[in-house]
Amino acid sequence: MTENTRVKFWIDDKEVEAPLGATILQAALDAGIYIPHLCHHPDLPPGGVCRLCVVEIEGEERPVCACLTPVGEGMVVRTQSEQVSRLRRLAIDLILAAHPVDCGTCQKYLNCELQSLKQYLGVEDPIVPRRGKLLPVNKSNPLFFHDPNKCVLCGRCVRACWDLREVGVLRYLEKNEEFYVYTPDELPLAEAGCRFCGACAEVCPTGAIQDKEEELAKAKNRRAALVPCRGSCPGEIDVPRYLRFIRQGNYWAAAAVVREKVPFPLVLGFVCDHPCEAVCRRRAVNEAIAIRELKRFVAERDSGEWKAKVAVGEPTGKRVAVVGSGPAGLTAAYFLRLKGHEVTVFEAMPEPGGMLRYGIPSYRLPGWALDQDLEEIRRLGVQIQTQVRVDSAEELLTHGYDAVLVAVGAQRGIRLPLPGSDGEGVLVGLEFLKKVNAGEAVTVGRRVMVLGGGNVAFDCARVARRLGADEVYLACLECREKMPASEDEIRQGQDEGIVLMPARTATRLLRSNGVLVGVELLAVEDFHFEEDGSVELETVYGSEEVVEVETVIYAVGQAVELPESFGIERTERGLVAIDEYSLSTSQEGVFAAGDAVTGTTSVVKAAASGRRAARAIDLYLEGSGELERKLAPPQAQAKCLGPRPGFAYLPRVAEKSLPPEQRVTGFCAVVEGLNEEEALYEADRCLECDLRLNITPIKFWGSY
C-alpha cells in the first residue's frame, strides 16, 4: 500500500473516506462530523487524556478513544449511544471537578472550548463534587500569565512545547495534591529557557495560559497584536519574514521583502522611525529587536537578484503626473510604473528626493543611500524632471496626463509672529536645512536657540553644532517625556551637547540696537491644539527667563505650499482636502498623498501613503488596483524552534556610533551599520511571533 491509500468506513450511517493511518476523530472532523474532544489538537500528537472522544466500534467489546484509534476498511463507528453518553458525562464531570465554578474570565479575548463542550453535552452542574485548587495565579512573566486553577491537564501546552516547538520547558507538576502544568521547580519562563513563541497559549483550551490582555489591546485585531511589528508598520512590511531570511543568510531576499512594499530599503535603514520596535514583543522580554538596523544591513548587502522578478506591466497608454519627488511621490510613481502607466515626476528643486535630500542632514541620511534607491525607480522608466515648478493641476491634465498626484509635502517652515522676529539672526528650520544640504554657506554664531521639539528641531540643533555653534538650546512646549522627536534623535542630540529646555514657550526675541541678543521664555503648565492648528497655552506666572543667543531657529511646524492656481480645496489647517477612501481631491483626476494631506509625518508613513495613492489612481485609470508582487523567493518556515538556554537574556546588539566630539566636526554618518556577525545574532533574537499564526485554529462544535 502507498501513502495515498484511502479506506472507506461508516460513521453514524454515513460513508466516510479517509487516508489509511488517520484516526477516527480526525477523519470524522474532516468529514464535518463532530465528536466532542478537548485534549486533541490537529497540530499535536494525540493524547487520549480527556476521554471525551469515546466512540463505539461494531465488533469491539469496549468504547475506544477516537483520537487514538486508526480507521479501518469497512469499520462501523457509532458516536452516540447510552454508554458513550455516560462515559462522556463522567469525563466532563471529572474535568470540571477541579475547574473554577466561575471561569467566564477566560473568554475575554478567546472562546473557551470547555464552555462550548458543556453546552454541547448539556452539562449544567457536574455530578462529581467540585473542589477549588486555590493555586496562585502567576502574572510575573512577560507576555503571558498562568492560572493553574483553570488547567484541566489536557496536555496540549506540554505537547506544543515539546513536540511542536521542541523547546521542552513545560512539565506536569504537583502541589498540595493538585496537578498542573508549569516549568521545573516553578522557574520563571525566562530562566527555564522559554522561547516565548506563544504556542502554549494558542492551543490552551481553557485560558490557563493566556496572553496578557494589555499586549493584545495595543492593536485593532488579534492577528496584528500577535505580530505587532508587522501590524504597526505603516508600510505593511513583513518584518518576521525578512528577519528569517537574514537568519538563513539570504540577504537579497530580505531586502526584496522590503521592496515588495516600499522602494526605499536603504533610506528606511537609515531614517525609519521604526514604530515596529516600540511594539516588538521581544521588548517585554528584555529589549526590542534592532529592526531598522537589520533593514540597513540587508540593503547595504543587496545583490539585486530580485530584479529579475521586477517587470513593468503591459503599457496601458495612460499617463500620470506626480508633483513632488519625496517619499510619497516616488513610491506612487514606482508602483504606478509597475502597473504599466507612463509616469513623470516633477520636482521644483535641482535634485530629486524632496525632504529626503533637502530636509534630512547627511549625517543621518547620506546622499549616496538616497541615490541608490532612486536609481531603481529610474531604472523602471519613471521620468523625473527637476527644477520644474507646477502651479496648476488643470494645466497638466490639459497637456495629456490622465491623472495627477499632488505629493508636494509640507515643505514650508512656519515663523512664529513673536515680537523681535523681524531682522537678522532669525532662521526658519526647513529653509535652514535646505540651504545647508544644498551646500550653501550659513552662519549661526556661537549661541543658538531652536524652538520646537520634533525631529526637524533636533536636526536644526545638531546641524547648528556642526556649523560651529558652541552652545545650542532647544525649547519646546512639550515636557521631556512627550517630546515628539524620536528617542534616537533626543539621545544623540544630548550626547552632542544640545541643552534641552522642555515645557517652555518663547514670548519674545530680545534685540539691542537691532541685534538679536536673547529669547524670553515662560514655563508651560499645560497646552492643547485647536482644530485649526492654533495652540492654547497655560503658563506659570513669574517663570520668565532669558537665554542669551545670537541666532533663533524656528522649527515649530511645517505647512503645505501650493499656489491658489492649483485649483484644489484645502482644509482649515491648509492641508489638501481629499476623500478618505479614494484619495481624490476636489478636482476630477487629481489625487493627493503624503505630508500634503496629513501634515508632517515619518518617511515610512509618507511612502505608505504614496502606495495607497498608486492603488487609488490605478483604479481610477481602470486598472485592478492590485499592487502585490512577490520579489522574494518562497521561504521555508520551520515549526521547530529548539532549546536555547539563556535566550530570554540575549541583549540587543549595541549601537556603534562616532564619539560626540568627532560627530560635531562634520557631516559623516553618526551610526555605523551592523557587521554580519552582529546582524545574524540580532536576527536570531526574534521570537518568531508569526509562527503562531500557522497553528490551526480550533473549530467549535457549532461549526460542524
Side-chain angles (χ1 to χ4, degrees):
M1 293 187 180
T2 68
E3 292 182 1
N4 295 325
T5 301
R6 299 179 70 82
V7 297
K8 293 183 179 180
F9 66 108
W10 298 85
I11 301 179
D12 295 338
D13 300 323
K14 178 181 179 180
E15 188 178 44
V16 176
E17 185 177 309
L20 183 66
T23 65
I24 294 173
L25 177 59
Q26 192 59 58
L29 297 177
D30 290 345
I33 301 171
Y34 181 71
I35 297 176
H37 57 276
L38 190 64
C39 67
H40 167 78
H41 189 283
D43 296 343
L44 304 176
V49 177
C50 70
R51 315 297 294 181
L52 288 168
C53 66
V54 290
V55 295
E56 292 179 344
I57 300 176
E58 191 174 279
E60 294 288 337
E61 182 177 350
R62 294 188 181 88
V64 299
C65 285
C67 70
L68 298 176
T69 307
V71 299
E73 184 69 38
M75 178 183 285
V76 177
V77 178
R78 295 288 177 188
T79 69
Q80 302 291 340
S81 73
E82 184 177 340
Q83 184 181 22
V84 165
S85 296
R86 179 173 53 79
L87 290 173
R88 287 178 183 165
R89 177 59 194 261
L90 176 61
I92 193 70
D93 280 350
L94 291 173
I95 290 171
L96 292 172
H99 197 69
V101 176
D102 180 14
C103 59
T105 56
C106 64
Q107 300 184 64
K108 285 185 178 178
Y109 75 91
L110 65 118
N111 292 316
C112 178
E113 291 180 55
L114 187 56
Q115 294 295 324
S116 178
L117 281 168
K118 285 175 59 180
Q119 294 176 29
Y120 176 81
L121 297 172
V123 175
E124 294 296 334
D125 295 309
I127 299 173
V128 178
R130 288 202 177 194
R131 66 187 190 281
K133 292 183 181 178
L134 302 178
L135 297 173
V137 178
N138 186 344
K139 297 184 178 181
S140 64
N141 289 299
L143 297 177
F144 310 106
F145 74 76
H146 175 231
D147 186 351
N149 301 293
K150 294 178 181 177
C151 180
V152 293
L153 301 175
C154 68
R156 277 195 196 174
C157 58
V158 176
R159 282 174 283 151
C161 188
W162 284 80
D163 300 305
L164 185 64
R165 295 289 183 254
E166 297 185 13
V167 177
V169 301
L170 294 182
R171 304 281 200 285
Y172 292 101
L173 303 179
E174 181 186 4
K175 179 184 287 186
N176 301 329
E177 299 184 349
E178 293 290 353
F179 289 91
Y180 62 101
V181 171
Y182 198 53
T183 60
D185 300 321
E186 293 194 337
L187 288 173
L189 293 179
E191 291 184 27
C194 179
R195 298 292 298 269
F196 293 91
C197 67
C200 55
E202 190 68 24
V203 301
C204 178
T206 65
I209 302 176
Q210 283 190 38
D211 300 279
K212 288 187 174 179
E213 291 177 318
E214 58 265 32
E215 297 297 322
L216 289 166
K218 292 178 182 177
K220 295 179 181 178
N221 57 64
R222 186 166 177 267
R223 181 184 179 88
L226 293 176
V227 192
C229 57
R230 187 172 69 192
S232 66
C233 176
E236 302 175 354
I237 298 171
D238 193 341
V239 176
R241 186 163 153 243
Y242 80 72
L243 295 191
R244 193 170 290 113
F245 274 128
I246 294 174
R247 290 195 296 276
Q248 296 167 358
N250 197 343
Y251 305 142
W252 76 262
V257 171
V258 181
R259 284 192 178 275
E260 289 173 355
K261 300 293 185 180
V262 181
F264 294 107
L266 198 47
V267 166
L268 291 179
F270 278 95
V271 297
C272 183
D273 64 335
H274 51 78
C276 49
E277 291 187 24
V279 296
C280 174
R281 284 169 69 85
R282 174 82 202 205
R283 186 183 185 192
V285 177
N286 64 344
E287 297 175 280
I289 305 297
I291 298 171
R292 179 179 62 192
E293 284 67 27
L294 288 170
K295 194 183 288 103
R296 173 179 168 181
F297 170 81
V298 298
E300 289 179 334
R301 289 159 180 79
D302 181 9
S303 63
E305 293 181 46
W306 50 268
K307 293 179 184 180
K309 298 185 178 184
V310 178
V312 174
E314 290 294 321
T316 63
K318 303 296 177 64
R319 301 173 65 210
V320 181
V322 177
V323 184
S325 67
L330 289 173
T331 300
Y334 173 82
F335 285 106
L336 286 168
R337 182 67 189 129
L338 286 176
K339 295 294 289 184
H341 308 303
E342 290 184 31
V343 184
T344 302
V345 179
F346 297 98
E347 170 58 53
M349 298 295 286
E351 296 291 334
M355 289 299 101
L356 294 177
R357 188 178 299 279
Y358 293 102
I360 301 178
S362 58
Y363 63 80
R364 283 214 295 136
L365 177 60
W368 63 264
L370 173 58
D371 289 337
Q372 187 170 312
D373 283 344
L374 274 170
E375 182 57 34
E376 295 304 320
I377 297 172
R378 282 187 162 121
R379 190 176 64 86
L380 294 181
V382 173
Q383 301 298 313
I384 302 178
Q385 297 186 20
T386 57
Q387 293 185 299
V388 177
R389 184 176 182 84
V390 176
D391 292 323
S392 170
E394 181 65 34
E395 185 177 349
L396 290 172
L397 294 171
T398 57
H399 279 76
Y401 289 98
D402 299 285
V404 175
L405 175 64
V406 180
V408 296
Q411 75 281 41
R412 178 171 60 83
I414 296 174
R415 179 189 290 259
L416 292 177
L418 297 178
S421 289
D422 297 329
E424 296 293 327
V426 179
L427 301 172
V428 177
L430 278 184
E431 296 173 6
F432 168 66
L433 294 175
K434 285 179 184 178
K435 288 180 179 180
V436 174
N437 285 352
E440 297 182 28
V442 181
T443 302
V444 296
R446 192 176 64 85
R447 296 165 62 91
V448 176
M449 170 68 75
V450 177
L451 300 178
N455 284 339
V456 172
F458 274 90
D459 286 343
C460 292
R462 297 175 69 188
V463 166
R465 284 283 286 132
R466 285 160 173 78
L467 294 180
D470 295 324
E471 299 177 26
V472 178
Y473 303 89
L474 187 145
C476 62
L477 300 177
E478 297 85 3
C479 63
R480 169 61 183 85
E481 294 73 23
K482 295 184 179 179
M483 291 175 70
S486 68
E487 281 300 317
D488 291 345
E489 277 277 282
I490 298 172
R491 174 174 46 80
Q492 291 174 11
Q494 287 183 292
D495 289 344
E496 293 169 10
I498 309 301
V499 178
L500 302 188
M501 303 186 72
R504 307 291 209 290
T505 183
T507 55
R508 58 176 175 152
L509 276 55
L510 305 176
R511 293 183 179 274
S512 176
N513 297 321
V515 177
L516 182 66
V517 294
V519 181
E520 183 181 78
L521 303 174
L522 273 177
V524 174
E525 180 73 27
D526 196 11
F527 74 96
H528 68 273
F529 288 99
E530 302 289 351
E531 291 186 5
D532 62 359
S534 62
V535 63
E536 288 292 326
L537 288 172
E538 183 179 335
T539 58
V540 178
Y541 178 77
S543 61
E544 296 89 348
E545 60 183 314
V546 173
V547 180
E548 296 180 1
V549 295
E550 301 167 48
T551 303
V552 169
I553 303 175
Y554 286 128
V556 293
Q558 294 151 227
V560 178
E561 192 171 31
L562 271 181
E564 291 298 324
S565 58
F566 225 89
I568 53 179
E569 288 184 8
R570 309 278 281 275
T571 68
E572 288 186 5
R573 294 176 55 198
L575 303 172
V576 177
I578 62 168
D579 178 83
E580 181 180 353
Y581 299 101
S582 69
L583 306 187
S584 58
T585 69
S586 58
Q587 187 171 351
E588 176 68 24
V590 180
F591 300 78
D595 290 0
V597 173
T598 61
T600 307
T601 55
S602 65
V603 174
V604 68
K605 284 183 179 179
S609 176
R611 192 169 189 269
R612 290 194 298 273
R615 181 183 294 114
I617 292 172
D618 185 53
L619 287 169
Y620 176 77
L621 298 177
E622 299 179 346
S624 66
E626 178 56 56
L627 303 181
E628 295 297 324
R629 291 172 183 250
K630 290 295 182 184
L631 303 181
Q635 186 180 71
Q637 192 173 1
K639 295 180 180 179
C640 169
L641 292 175
R644 185 83 180 276
F647 173 76
Y649 300 108
L650 295 175
R652 177 181 170 123
V653 66
E655 180 182 278
K656 296 179 296 184
S657 57
L658 296 177
E661 60 273 14
Q662 185 177 340
R663 296 181 209 164
V664 298
T665 61
F667 284 81
C668 56
V670 168
V671 179
E672 298 179 31
L674 304 178
N675 60 38
E676 187 170 33
E677 181 182 359
E678 291 167 333
L680 290 173
Y681 163 86
E682 187 63 22
D684 204 36
R685 293 178 62 242
C686 178
L687 303 184
E688 298 194 62
C689 302
D690 62 330
L691 288 181
R692 185 166 165 182
L693 300 177
N694 297 333
I695 296 177
T696 304
I698 292 299
K699 292 174 66 177
F700 291 83
W701 68 269
S703 59
Y704 287 92

